[in-house]
Amino acid sequence: MSDLTPLQAVLNARSPLSADGSVPRRGCPLSDLRDRLRRAGLRPTRQRLSLGWLLFGRGDRHLTAEMLYDEAMRAKVPVSLATVYNTLHQFTEAGLLRQLALDGSKAYFDTNPSEHHHFFLEEEGEVLDMPECGISVDSLPDAPEGMEIAGVEVIVRLRRRPVSGRG
């Protein structure tokens, strides 16, 4: 049995319609994902469902387009890297993801779009949610004329201390 079979079976599943023509709620993760996409104003296409399943099926996490593309290839989801980028940006614009600018060469996407802060492990290229610790940012400058501050992100960059050789 290939990796594709479970994902393909879920994506091909059809929910029976109830008497009023609506899809009954059965607690199906795929049905929940379809509803989530529709509420965000996105049509639940096969590619969006496939990538959404990979993105949101593992809880809150942080990944790049390349990481999601690799997961899609392992799951035998037929998408291009350009489609992955487009979908991530559509999900971000719809409020389903949060884009993090941590490294000049690549963008990370957070499946938890709520306001929270992050640690960035520089050597590993890994992003971790910062525990809620009451961080406050004081003395923000006034926004330019006609603008307002939409949010403040705190990213704490971490690296391992060099091990000192003692002899």
Side-chain angles (χ1 to χ4, degrees):
M1 185 177 262
S2 74
D3 291 338
L4 178 62
T5 305
L7 180 60
Q8 193 172 38
V10 169
L11 293 174
N12 291 333
R14 298 267 183 224
S15 299
L17 296 179
S18 59
D20 67 356
S22 65
V23 177
R25 302 287 295 161
R26 298 181 309 177
C28 170
L30 185 62
S31 180
D32 292 345
L33 178 58
R34 278 190 182 112
D35 291 347
R36 189 174 182 184
L37 291 176
R38 285 186 182 115
R39 281 192 310 272
L42 295 172
R43 195 166 51 91
T45 63
R46 181 176 300 269
Q47 288 179 323
R48 285 182 184 143
L49 287 168
S50 297
L51 293 173
W53 183 266
L54 293 171
L55 272 168
F56 303 115
R58 297 184 185 170
D60 292 340
R61 61 196 193 119
H62 311 90
L63 65 166
T64 64
E66 291 78 11
M67 292 163 67
L68 181 58
Y69 177 74
D70 289 344
E71 286 183 21
M73 292 300 95
R74 284 193 305 274
K76 299 186 181 359
V77 174
V79 293
S80 67
L81 183 57
T83 298
V84 170
Y85 271 103
N86 290 337
T87 301
L88 288 170
H89 289 292
Q90 291 165 357
F91 283 9
T92 300
E93 288 174 19
L96 300 173
L97 295 174
R98 186 170 164 201
Q99 186 171 349
L100 306 172
L102 304 173
D103 183 355
S105 63
K106 60 182 118 176
Y108 287 80
F109 295 86
D110 190 344
T111 59
N112 175 0
S114 69
E115 286 193 30
H116 61 283
H117 307 294
H118 296 92
F119 289 118
F120 179 59
L121 286 66
E122 292 181 330
E123 291 141 358
E124 292 88 351
E126 186 177 351
V127 181
L128 303 171
D129 286 338
M130 191 180 292
E132 183 61 43
C133 58
I135 289 179
S136 65
V137 179
D138 295 331
S139 303
L140 287 175
D142 291 334
E145 181 69 31
M147 305 294 271
E148 65 181 6
I149 295 173
V152 176
E153 294 182 34
V154 174
I155 298 167
V156 177
R157 296 175 177 276
L158 303 174
R159 69 176 148 245
R160 300 197 187 283
R161 287 187 196 133
V163 178
S164 60
R166 295 187 180 186

